[in-house]
Amino acid sequence: MNSTRFTSISKKIKSIIFVTLFITVTVFIFVTTLLNLLTLDKNLEDSENEIKKNLTGKGQILVTNNSIALRGMAEDNSFSAISDLVVKTVQNDSEIQYGIFMDNESRPWIYFNGEVVQSNKLDDPVSKWAARLKRTDYKEIRKENEIIFEFAAPIFSGSEKLGTIRYGFSLKSIRQKIEDTKSYVLKRSLVEILLYVFLGFIIFVIAGIASTKRTQKIVVPLNDLTDAAERMSSGNYSEPLNVQSNDEIGVLANSFNLMKVKIQEYTEDLHSKILELNRSKKELYKKEKEYRSLYETAVIGLFRSRVHDGKLLKANKRALDMFGYPNLEDALAANFVIADHYSSEQRKEILEQLKFQDELSNVIIHFTFDGDREMIGTVSIEINREEAYLEGSILDITERIRSEEMLKKKEQQLIQAQKMETVGNLAGGLAHDFNNVLGGIVGTLSLIQVKRSKKNISLEKIDDYLEDMKKSADRATNLVKQLLTLSRKQELSLQSIDLN
């Protein structure tokens, strides 16, 4: 006989009922509490978002108005007027932590955060961001474990930028109000939870009493079945199980006789299936591991996105590196859509092609990420219309394109250098020819002057001399053109010449 401690069905049923009641009451309390907490978090989140929205609206209006007010002061280089306006603005609003007016070289005319801060030039990342602005904008930053919203606006006089006005707003006082509200609601929720626990206890007691009475009516035929099963376990298979019951227990008693014959067959068959299943699971796990390793370590980017809106669903590490995200969670949180990062013309062309075919291969696309980071890639796409997603690969060929452009530029530079080397080699000969031309012109002029001084030269003779000088000048002009052609960065126009 089994040495395991015997526990009657009656006790088990009671135990199951009590456990079920306990779990039901506990789940009820937990779900109710969770719903309260979720509602609390949602309300607090909505309040915080509304506060931030109001703060951003207030900050943008403030810096915009200040930029308009400071325009004339900046045009007049009125340092004291600008300082007074910035200082008063910071002092009149407790949420403003600091105010800065800086020129186009990031030199602060006034930096006030309760007291004037002396600084030659602001070169921190936030100042560089503000200096690049062309319109009013804001940035969320963290300073000394505190979140600051900095609002900045450029000041223009016509098309000329005169400087930038900046104000930093703190969320410290707002967060304190939110924490006070959260504390109050948590206390109220605790009282509600205690009330639910009390009601659950009352329900638990009442249901326990009712279940005990009902259990007694069920366990009598079960006790008869237990006695018969003990006789069977001792090896007495000849005595049939005579449990009279018109419910499932009677069906169970009749099934015992068939079960003892078939149980061995089922056991052997089950053992064989388990072995086969374990082998299949191991093989499947191995293949899945190999596929995941290949997927994550692939040198090309692999991604999956939804058809109707293009939102990214999955991507490997190489693709995430191209998209500018450290991990998939950040990309999903940002609702990244790859089609938003290349031209609308190319997007329309790709979507038009996918209407008539399920695959596209090696489409060259110029991507733009973060506004200024460019990448040239070849993209291959396969569409799954049943499950409404796209699967694609992307290969970054930016460096290859840049290398080809650089190689072409180097070839042009080499050609120009060879041309200049040719100019140097020919300089001596061309200079000698040019000197001969000039000698002919100067000699002819000297001859004309001598004959004129003796007054024995005719006009026809002078015309002949001038014609000779013109021919020499034309030769000189041709030599100069040859030198310019060799020295310029342009293609040479070559012609065939009959040397005979």
Side-chain angles (χ1 to χ4, degrees), residues 118-365:
Q118 301 295 332
S119 178
N120 294 327
K121 184 176 181 180
L122 302 174
D123 57 357
D124 57 283
V126 179
S127 298
K128 293 178 180 178
W129 163 80
R132 293 193 300 267
L133 290 179
K134 301 298 183 182
R135 58 182 177 82
T136 302
D137 203 351
Y138 73 94
K139 186 180 185 69
E140 183 177 342
I141 59 177
R142 183 176 293 276
K143 283 190 174 182
E144 298 178 356
N145 297 325
E146 182 179 356
I147 296 178
I148 299 293
F149 275 64
E150 175 163 313
F151 296 86
I155 300 171
F156 286 95
S157 176
S159 61
E160 181 185 0
K161 185 177 179 182
L162 304 176
T164 305
I165 181 66
R166 301 163 55 191
Y167 289 106
F169 284 73
S170 172
L171 297 180
K172 188 174 182 180
S173 59
I174 297 173
R175 290 194 174 279
Q176 184 60 45
K177 294 178 182 178
I178 294 175
E179 291 298 327
D180 293 342
T181 303
K182 183 183 293 185
S183 177
Y184 167 75
V185 175
L186 286 175
K187 291 179 181 178
R188 187 182 66 185
S189 299
L190 181 60
V191 173
E192 293 178 356
I193 292 172
L194 292 176
L195 178 61
Y196 293 146
V197 171
F198 177 74
L199 292 175
F201 176 76
I202 297 299
I203 295 172
F204 183 79
V205 172
I206 295 174
I209 295 173
S211 64
T212 300
K213 294 182 179 180
R214 181 62 180 170
T215 301
Q216 296 300 325
K217 296 180 180 180
I218 298 175
V219 297
V220 173
L222 287 177
N223 290 333
D224 295 339
L225 181 61
T226 301
D227 294 339
E230 287 181 351
R231 291 194 298 270
M232 182 184 292
S233 65
S234 63
N236 184 5
Y237 295 98
S238 59
E239 185 176 349
L241 299 177
N242 296 319
V243 175
Q244 302 298 324
S245 179
N246 61 353
D247 54 16
E248 290 84 353
I249 297 175
V251 175
L252 179 62
N254 293 329
S255 299
F256 256 77
N257 293 316
L258 297 175
M259 179 182 66
K260 66 180 181 179
V261 176
K262 295 183 177 182
I263 191 167
Q264 185 63 33
E265 298 176 1
Y266 289 154
T267 301
E268 293 176 356
D269 183 61
L270 180 62
H271 180 69
S272 176
K273 290 181 178 179
I274 290 175
L275 291 177
E276 182 63 26
L277 180 61
N278 287 336
R279 284 194 296 269
S280 300
K281 287 175 65 177
K282 289 180 180 179
E283 186 66 24
L284 180 62
Y285 175 77
K286 181 180 178 181
K287 291 182 179 179
E288 181 183 3
K289 187 176 180 181
E290 291 175 353
Y291 167 77
R292 185 171 297 279
S293 177
L294 290 173
Y295 179 83
E296 292 297 336
T297 59
V299 295
I300 62 173
L302 303 173
F303 66 91
R304 176 185 291 179
S305 62
R306 290 198 301 233
V307 172
H308 67 278
D309 60 2
K311 182 180 177 182
L312 185 70
L313 297 175
K314 192 174 182 181
N316 67 350
K317 186 177 185 304
R318 180 56 181 157
L320 292 171
D321 290 341
M322 296 180 189
F323 300 155
Y325 291 95
N327 51 60
L328 181 60
E329 289 74 16
D330 289 349
L332 296 179
N335 292 324
F336 178 79
V337 178
I338 187 173
D340 290 343
H341 296 275
Y342 56 88
S343 67
S344 58
E345 291 78 9
Q346 253 186 325
R347 182 161 60 251
K348 290 179 182 178
E349 181 180 348
I350 290 174
L351 292 176
E352 189 66 25
Q353 293 181 31
L354 287 175
K355 290 180 181 178
F356 306 102
Q357 58 190 89
D358 293 338
E359 293 184 12
L360 294 178
S361 299
N362 299 323
V363 180
I364 297 179
I365 296 179

Side-chain angles (χ1 to χ4, degrees), residues 28-42:
F28 170 74
I29 296 173
F30 174 76
V31 171
T32 306
T33 304
L34 182 61
L35 291 175
N36 288 336
L37 292 177
L38 291 176
T39 304
L40 169 65
D41 291 340
K42 183 65 171 58

